[in-house]
Amino acid sequence: MPLVRRCGGRSGGGRVEEVGHVTGGSDQLGDRTVHRIGFGTMRLPQHGEAFAPDAVPRDRDQAIKVLRRAVDLGVNHIDTAAFYFSPLRCANELINRALAPYPDDLVIATKVGPGRDPSGDWLPHATPEQLRGQVEENLRRLGRDHLDVVNLRIVGTDSVADRFGALAELRDAGLIRHLGLSNVRPHHLAEAQAIAPVVCVQNMYGIGASREQEELLRLCGEQDIAFVPFYSIAGTGRTAGASGVDSSKVHTIARAHGVSTAQVRLAWTLHRGPHVLAIPGTGDLDHLAQNVAAGSLRLSGDELAVLDSHSLDAETTA
């Protein structure tokens, strides 16, 4: 029995087909092949907004079910971080509990740079010397002897050379397989590439993207670097999740296909290039099914043009 069924659309003939596993194609993440619909764990440890001090921990069994179901559906790219935790729940420990021993084709990408103390308060970003401790924390909680992908997450415009160089040394030591960047600008990418290969860039991106965000997506495509957008569904809702407020253009296209606006947002993102790897996150099994189904949603050229113009409109009115 198919997991999800969606109606055909009125405009352009696109549709979301019956889905039993991840669709939408695959691409390279370093030397690993992953499906273009992955899974982000930021929202998994709690209900409601991520990182909220009063967050209600998610039921452990429910979180484990979501992770296992994602893999059952063909998801083989999971995004996480040691600082993804709420009271009683930690994303890395949930991943370990749900999925170890890990499937051979599963790629787990994590982030370092930011940190939180045990009470959840944010710490200053890690120095080059502190990054090894963050890498080792990820290794311990995931129960692994090496990390598939480690993204250096940046705040601001300062040089990344010292910190990325420290991660490159850990890569040479065998603790890390591949390196990436998160929340960066084009000059960061050029600086890091001069030190060690960058296999992915993980930045905020979705309908309404700015010209600078579009430029980075283009640069990644030209350099055969995977582009991994976050907040593709949440947009300006960011850590709080989708606000439920979408433009009439997005709603019109969603109704035409019999899908949610979140699925339209995901599909539009995947249409931006074959090097785009989406990582929508959720703690809900139904939402997980819808996210997976979005991989097979085909938008027409006219619909893409409407959504592209929506991005330009959003920038000019910002």
Side-chain angles (χ1 to χ4, degrees):
M1 182 177 179
L3 176 67
V4 176
R5 184 168 184 159
R6 291 288 181 261
C7 300
R10 291 193 301 270
S11 58
R15 59 174 296 158
V16 174
E17 300 167 351
E18 295 182 349
V19 175
H21 55 83
V22 164
T23 57
S26 302
D27 196 50
Q28 293 301 118
L29 188 52
D31 62 352
R32 307 291 296 278
T33 301
V34 297
H35 293 124
R36 295 182 64 212
I37 292 282
F39 182 81
T41 62
M42 184 186 73
R43 302 185 59 78
L44 195 62
Q46 72 287 310
H47 294 278
E49 183 167 0
F51 313 126
D54 57 349
V56 176
R58 192 175 300 279
D59 178 78
R60 182 187 296 274
D61 289 342
Q62 173 70 12
I64 288 172
K65 285 180 182 177
V66 169
L67 283 164
R68 289 176 176 169
R69 185 58 177 153
V71 171
D72 287 344
L73 292 173
V75 169
N76 62 353
H77 172 206
I78 293 179
D79 175 75
T80 187
F83 53 87
Y84 286 176
F85 66 84
S86 68
L88 305 181
R89 301 288 177 262
C90 167
N92 283 350
E93 290 177 345
L94 290 169
I95 292 169
N96 190 345
R97 178 73 174 271
L99 303 178
Y102 298 109
D104 290 341
D105 68 337
L106 181 65
V107 175
I108 300 176
T110 191
K111 288 173 287 299
V112 295
R116 299 166 72 202
D117 67 22
S119 69
D121 290 335
W122 289 101
L123 300 169
H125 273 227
T127 64
E129 295 74 23
Q130 293 170 329
L131 288 174
R132 183 181 182 109
Q134 291 191 346
V135 167
E136 291 174 345
E137 181 183 6
N138 278 278
L139 289 168
R140 284 193 302 271
R141 294 188 182 277
L142 288 168
R144 308 198 76 170
D145 57 8
H146 77 277
L147 299 171
D148 298 321
V149 180
V150 173
N151 292 310
L152 176 63
R153 183 167 176 82
I154 305 303
V155 172
T157 60
D158 292 345
S159 170
V160 300
D162 289 345
R163 287 169 289 169
F164 197 77
L167 292 180
E169 292 177 2
L170 297 179
R171 173 180 174 269
D172 293 341
L175 296 183
I176 301 170
R177 189 179 186 94
H178 295 297
L179 298 175
L181 296 167
S182 177
N183 200 41
V184 295
R185 298 185 179 187
H187 72 275
H188 291 132
L189 176 58
E191 187 179 29
Q193 284 278 70
I195 297 170
V198 175
V199 303
C200 61
V201 168
Q202 190 182 95
N203 268 33
M204 181 174 175
Y205 185 84
I207 293 175
S210 69
R211 293 189 186 277
E212 184 177 58
Q213 291 168 335
E214 293 286 1
E215 172 69 5
L216 199 47
L217 179 141
R218 182 187 64 79
L219 287 173
C220 287
E222 291 175 352
Q223 298 179 42
D224 292 325
I225 296 170
F227 186 82
V228 186
F230 57 82
Y231 300 149
S232 290
I233 295 176
T236 56
R238 300 173 69 88
T239 58
S243 65
V245 178
D246 279 289
S247 74
S248 60
K249 296 175 182 178
V250 178
H251 276 288
T252 297
I253 293 171
R255 285 194 298 269
H257 290 276
V259 299
S260 69
T261 56
Q263 288 173 297
V264 170
R265 286 179 169 273
L266 275 178
W268 178 86
T269 302
L270 292 177
H271 277 78
R272 302 303 288 167
H275 65 301
V276 176
L277 305 175
I279 49 168
T282 182
D284 182 271
L285 287 168
D286 289 337
H287 289 164
L288 171 64
Q290 291 175 19
N291 291 343
V292 168
S296 66
L297 175 57
R298 299 292 177 260
L299 302 174
S300 71
D302 289 344
E303 289 169 334
L304 290 171
V306 166
L307 295 174
D308 293 350
S309 68
H310 180 52
S311 291
L312 294 174
D313 291 345
E315 182 179 359
T316 57
T317 57

